[in-house]
Amino acid sequence: MQSTHDAMNPRIRADVAILGGGTAGAVVAARLVETTSLSVVVVEAGPDYGPFDGGRWPPELLDSATLPDTHDWGYQDAGLSLRRPLPLERARVIGGCSSHNGCSQTVGYGADYHRWGLSWSDAQLTSLMADSAARLRVRRYTDDELTPFQAAAMEAMILSEIPRTDDLDDLHGGVGCGPSPVNNPDGVRWNSAFAFLDPVRSEPRLRVVDHALVDRLELDGPVVRRARLRRGGEQVILEADRFILCGGAYGSPEMLLRSGIGPADDLKALGIAPRLDLPGVGRNLHDHPTVELRFAAGDRLVRQLTDYGRTRAVPDEQVIGKARSGSGSAPYDLHLLPWTSSEPDGWTCVFPVACLTPRSRGALRLVSADPQAKPVIDHRYLTDPEGADLAALRDGVDIYRRLVASPALAPLLGRPLDEFSAGPSTDDAGLRAASAHYWHPVGTCAIGPDPAAGAVVDTTGRVHGSDNLWVVDASVIPVIPRATTNLPVVALAEHLVRVLT
Ligand SMILES: Cc1cc2nc3c(=O)[nH]c(=O)nc-3n(C[C@H](O)[C@H](O)[C@H](O)COP(=O)(O)OP(=O)(O)OC[C@H]3O[C@@H](n4cnc5c(N)ncnc54)[C@H](O)[C@@H]3O)c2cc1C
């Protein structure tokens, strides 16, 4: 690999340009280098700290115990449906969100993946998930490692008839709870750059260009000729035979829209010349909505967490429960993911429930052709006309109200931190006020056969109407799976890169 800190040549050429070096981008780059003789450039807006062994990574990105916020893009949800803006954390660094995420690696429910129109069998999917988990060094927290809070939360779930299981990594799993599969060997967040790029970094056909913001692509009919990058004060031209966007659910549609690929009328209104009229770019945005109850830790729990923390880090999250709401589809439609955080004024115990089968859909749209300008992102959380998302979350909150009152948890919790957490109400206004999200945006460049119906890419990830442009990341997922999304994105990237090569 050439150093990313060379004096930048304002013109770069490679066989393949990968735009975005996150979870998916690292997979695609590594596999192309490993399985072809092509030269590959990865362009990443944030820093590349090099291989894990190089020792240059900031400690907070390595420490899997808590979620860092040092490399955040600064996106916000407009919050129109919730009447308050919500931060939408996204990492701007090599490895992308895998470099700052919670490290829970679940696979979800197998049938969800067969709704995407991809030609993968159950057996292929199972093997892709297992191989991806192995590459990410996924293991499972042992009972001995559970913090006193996590052990009590799991016990409360079991008392509430959510049985102990070990099937969070099984595509055929059902309702149950257990310690999470996690990609943190020795407590290190094993991001996709370590897992995929490190083994090929010495290969001269791979180059990582960091601190480089992709402004737009320039097309000649259906062919992308070049990408324009901004690096420092400089404009850089990147020429390639193939361009693969891996900018994530917000970054990839932004790059397409700035390039004139999207809803033609919206683009014209911004002064961007339309190149490919694809109405679906930026639409179909969805995530798992959550609602959370919050309590101060009680004195006994504070003592227990302090004792636990004397010898090791206290992970925020370790246990996940899968449950089913009253009207939810089988086998489960809720995740319970209790976590603790250490605030300056004491420990907080948070009980979020996520709706895994959301029906609400939102959109991302540009306000300007300027790549520095933030888009308007409106997830329209909890707006589906049937009220199904709210109903599922209401049932999840009812489950939590039983858990926090159970003999396993009640003696450990202090005062509720807001009126909704104090209960007993679960009215719509309270649910909206206590709602957040699970950091799993998908869908803005959805796979599908028909561009007029909102599809942006075909089942190979190729952008409809283009000859040499693909999107491979969470944005192409047309319907979110019942899983934390990192492992599914790795498996999807593995599948699409095989189709590509
Ligand atoms: C706080 C947080 C916690 C999470 N916890 C979990 C968890 O515990 N388990 C789980 O499975 N999932 C979790 N996720 C979700 C998971 O990490 C993501 O689904 C996954 O990383 C998405 O991968 P991606 O490749 O689509 O995008 P990303 O990993 O976001 O990669 C996109 C990359 O493209 C770069 N980029 C974007 N635009 C441009 C541009 N214009 N120019 C150059 N570069 C650009 C970005 O900087 C980034 O590096 C979490 C996410 C967050 C934010």
Side-chain angles (χ1 to χ4, degrees), residues 3 17 29 36 74 84 88 114 138 157 174-175 182 188 263 271-272 276 291 354 359 393 437-438 469:
S3 159
T36 73
R84 73 200 152 94
L88 299 170
H114 297 302
V138 174
M157 289 188 215
V175 165
V182 61
V188 172
I272 299 172
L276 297 173
V291 169
R359 296 195 197 170
L393 289 172
H437 58 82
Y438 206 177
L469 175 60

Side-chain angles (χ1 to χ4, degrees), residues 19-25 43-46 67-68 73 75 88-98 100-106 212-215 246-252 254-255 258 317 371 438-442 472-475 483-489:
L19 307 181
T23 297
V43 179
E44 169 53 45
L67 293 179
W73 274 85
Y75 290 110
L88 299 170
E89 294 81 358
R90 293 282 100 187
R92 184 172 176 146
V93 59
I94 199 78
C97 291
S98 74
H100 77 173
N101 72 15
C103 290
S104 303
Q105 303 294 334
T106 65
L213 182 69
V214 178
D215 176 350
C246 299
Y250 306 140
S252 284
E254 283 186 87
M255 288 188 259
R258 286 197 295 266
E317 48 186 286
Y438 206 177
W439 304 293
H440 298 155
V442 302
V472 179
D473 58 27
S475 71
T484 50
T485 42
N486 194 62
L487 196 56
V489 168

Side-chain angles (χ1 to χ4, degrees), residues 356-371:
L356 301 177
T357 53
R359 296 195 197 170
S360 305
R361 296 291 185 267
L364 170 151
R365 63 182 173 78
L366 295 188
V367 292
S368 151
D370 178 356

Side-chain angles (χ1 to χ4, degrees), residues 349-436:
C349 303
V350 188
F351 297 93
V353 55
C355 168
L356 301 177
T357 53
R359 296 195 197 170
S360 305
R361 296 291 185 267
L364 170 151
R365 63 182 173 78
L366 295 188
V367 292
S368 151
D370 178 356
Q372 310 284 358
K374 287 279 179 305
V376 172
I377 302 177
D378 185 8
H379 274 264
R380 302 188 71 244
Y381 291 113
L382 311 178
T383 57
D384 65 293
E386 303 85 13
D389 297 353
L390 267 173
L393 289 172
R394 182 177 298 111
D395 288 355
V397 169
D398 286 343
I399 295 172
Y400 265 141
R401 295 217 192 279
R402 290 197 294 278
L403 299 190
V404 299
S406 78
L409 269 173
L412 299 182
L413 300 179
R415 65 191 165 82
L417 292 178
D418 51 57
E419 204 181 319
F420 185 71
S421 301
S425 163
T426 48
D427 63 18
D428 289 2
L431 285 165
R432 286 183 200 285
S435 70

Side-chain angles (χ1 to χ4, degrees), residues 439-451:
W439 304 293
H440 298 155
V442 302
T444 45
C445 303
I447 297 171
D450 182 5

